[in-house]
Amino acid sequence: MTSLPHTRPHGRLPIVGVSADHRTLGRHPFHVVGDKYVRAVSDGADALAVLLPALGDRYDAAEVVSRLDGLLFTGSPSNVHPDRYDGPMSEPGTLHDLDRDATTLPLYRAALAADLPLFAICRGLQELNVALGGTLHQKVQDVPGLMDHRDDETQPLEVQYGAAHAVDLTAGGLMARITGRERLTVNSLHQQGIDRLAPGLAVEAVAPDGLIEAVRVEGATFALGVQWHPEWRFWEDPAAVALFKAFGDAVRARAATRAS
């Protein structure tokens, strides 16, 4: 995989925990993280990516957070289980990851309580909304007035992750300041989406159909969630480069505070 030429500064790399899926590959269960997320942390945020297994309550979320300088919550093929937000029962065949739900939702709350920098992507955005009391559309494409935000999985990855639609950034918001833009063109590979926005979240971007595409946690040093996938070949997109650099800057500031 090709990415940006990269020269690391001397000194300790900050540590970013990266949420893993619990998934069966072949006949064995695995804890897995996509390479694109690891590269985005390593090369985009200039930090050490550490996989966080989806072990639920087998470790204490606050203790995990105390050992980290930041958290990246990844996308996933699985949906947040509707029991987590009192939603209607999922359709048969819907992919869930109960171990991930049990791991990430407490991590969000512990991270925000500690003001740990976090960046949430796709499923991560949905988890953030649920962790703070919001709800989700399970199938955005079936909601009157909303577009079909899914990708065509029969197409090559370059097509699946290609430009899909614009998002308008909130004037004066965090994303607008980071990217220097009023509008971005993003990819779109999801069917869950934010329904009721959780208390404490501020809208940072919306799609043409009005679906919330990015949020920040009010009062947090850096806590941002996006519905698209900026990690995909991030080095080719100046806005994505800016987002991961801003995340890395927040993580390094946190690491410096811990070191002192």
Side-chain angles (χ1 to χ4, degrees):
M1 181 175 180
T2 304
S3 62
L4 284 173
H6 195 66
T7 302
R8 296 195 183 282
H10 296 293
R12 171 188 175 274
L13 282 175
I15 300 172
V16 173
V18 183
S19 63
D21 293 345
H22 190 209
R23 198 179 305 173
T24 299
L25 303 177
R27 296 193 296 175
H28 297 278
F30 286 81
H31 297 271
V32 297
V33 172
D35 179 79
K36 57 187 176 150
Y37 299 107
V38 173
R39 301 278 182 163
V41 169
S42 174
D43 298 347
D46 193 25
L48 175 63
V50 176
L51 181 152
L52 297 179
L55 293 175
D57 58 4
R58 294 190 186 182
Y59 46 54
D60 180 78
E63 181 183 358
V64 173
V65 163
S66 73
R67 301 182 182 211
L68 300 174
D69 302 307
L71 271 168
L72 182 82
F73 293 91
T74 64
S76 172
S78 65
N79 285 0
V80 179
H81 198 282
D83 284 352
R84 292 290 183 172
Y85 53 92
D86 294 326
M89 185 178 299
S90 300
E91 291 187 1
T94 300
L95 180 62
H96 292 295
D97 187 341
L98 301 183
D99 292 321
R100 171 163 171 157
D101 292 346
T103 303
T104 55
L105 298 182
L107 277 174
Y108 274 108
R109 300 179 188 115
L112 293 172
D115 198 25
L116 186 75
L118 66 88
F119 193 6
I121 294 173
C122 200
R123 189 195 208 267
L125 168 74
Q126 298 155 13
E127 292 170 337
L128 173 59
N129 192 53
V130 169
L132 296 183
T135 64
L136 302 176
H137 297 298
Q138 293 185 40
K139 300 179 75 173
V140 168
Q141 65 273 14
D142 292 344
V143 179
L146 296 183
M147 305 185 304
D148 190 339
H149 287 253
R150 295 172 296 176
D151 59 307
D152 184 350
E153 296 185 353
T154 68
Q155 297 297 314
L157 286 177
E158 291 75 12
V159 176
Q160 291 184 49
Y161 283 86
H165 60 75
V167 294
D168 290 316
L169 307 187
T170 300
L174 178 61
M175 290 197 65
R177 297 196 304 272
I178 289 172
T179 64
R181 305 274 291 277
E182 297 178 352
R183 174 176 290 184
L184 302 177
T185 301
V186 301
N187 50 39
S188 188
L189 300 92
H190 64 100
Q191 68 171 347
Q192 283 200 137
I194 291 177
D195 180 8
R196 187 183 71 246
L197 187 66
L201 293 182
V203 176
E204 285 284 323
V206 295
D209 58 1
L211 186 70
I212 296 171
E213 289 272 334
V215 300
R216 65 175 169 83
V217 179
E218 295 175 325
T221 298
F222 189 101
L224 183 67
V226 299
Q227 184 57 79
W228 63 93
H229 286 269
E231 83 288 351
W232 170 256
R233 301 186 69 86
F234 72 90
W235 56 90
E236 297 178 350
D237 179 2
V241 170
L243 287 171
F244 283 107
K245 180 182 182 303
F247 176 52
D249 289 345
V251 166
R252 277 183 290 281
R254 176 62 173 232
T257 300
R258 289 180 66 215
S260 63

